[in-house]
Amino acid sequence: AGARTLSGTTTNQPPTANAGPDQTVTLAAGQSNINVTLSGSGSSDPDGTIASYTWTGTPNPADTVSPTVSLTAGSYTFSLIVTDNSGASSAADTVNVTVNPAPPVNQPPTANAGPDQTVTIASGQTSINVTLNGSGSSDADGTITAYAWSGTPNPADVVSPTVNLTAGSYTFSLIVTDNAGAMSAADTVAVTVNGAPPPAACNPVPTDPAVAH
């Protein structure tokens, strides 16, 4: 019940506006604006009901309990005045909204399978160990978290795997993944393995008795 005067009439109590808590939001990657909902539902009137909501700000919200505004990155202040069922208006209450810009779009990494290699099997051997090198791979805005090699034989998925190869020509492919899950295009490296040279010819045994030992 409202307060009574000496004449017995009731004095209307003005309402109290509540524009809601301050808000901080962040734009999603690739977006230039975001919808933010204001909330005047905490407004109250001790001896009646709230009959209308008047919001002001830029952009100007609709005059409803909880209007939605579309905002770009920046700082905003919105003001709310409420009016009760007896026509009394509240003092203004304000809410601050901070919209953070979207994080930068992740850049995919770049795979580098290393320079082409040509090696020769040692004399008397049938194969040779060759180390591939993906350490030249890079990511402009993060780090490399995974290396995926393919080829025959299939290398291990590490920065610099070693493969055992016989004479022939080989191509190996490398794809890298960054810390945000983006994958690179494939880069390839060619490896040429030359066969072992023939063993050196043995010196003939001398047949001249004069030089024979």
Side-chain angles (χ1 to χ4, degrees):
R4 291 184 178 277
T5 65
L6 293 176
S7 62
T9 60
T10 301
T11 301
N12 179 52
Q13 300 298 309
T16 300
N18 185 332
D22 292 342
Q23 300 185 52
T24 298
V25 296
T26 301
L27 294 171
Q31 290 187 332
S32 60
N33 56 28
I34 187 172
N35 287 335
V36 174
T37 299
L38 309 177
S39 178
S41 63
S43 302
S44 61
D45 184 51
D47 57 357
T49 58
I50 304 296
S52 65
Y53 297 79
T54 302
W55 291 91
T56 56
T58 302
N60 197 32
D63 290 333
T64 61
V65 179
S66 300
T68 297
V69 286
S70 180
L71 305 177
T72 57
S75 297
Y76 303 83
T77 298
F78 298 97
S79 176
L80 173 63
I81 294 174
V82 294
T83 302
D84 69 13
N85 57 312
S86 294
S89 294
S90 69
D93 187 45
T94 58
V95 59
N96 297 313
V97 179
T98 301
V99 180
N100 296 320
V105 177
N106 181 52
Q107 301 297 311
T110 300
N112 186 333
D116 293 343
Q117 300 185 52
T118 298
V119 296
T120 300
I121 296 173
S123 179
Q125 303 295 314
T126 59
S127 64
I128 187 172
N129 285 334
V130 174
T131 298
L132 308 178
N133 187 1
S135 64
S137 301
S138 60
D139 185 49
D141 57 358
T143 57
I144 305 295
T145 57
Y147 297 79
W149 291 92
S150 59
T152 302
N154 197 31
D157 290 333
V158 295
V159 179
S160 299
T162 296
V163 286
N164 186 261
L165 306 177
T166 57
S169 296
Y170 303 83
T171 299
F172 298 97
S173 177
L174 172 64
I175 293 174
V176 295
T177 303
D178 70 12
N179 57 307
M183 298 174 66
S184 70
D187 187 47
T188 58
V189 58
V191 178
T192 301
V193 180
N194 297 319
C202 297
N203 293 325
V205 177
T207 57
D208 186 345
V211 297
H213 295 283

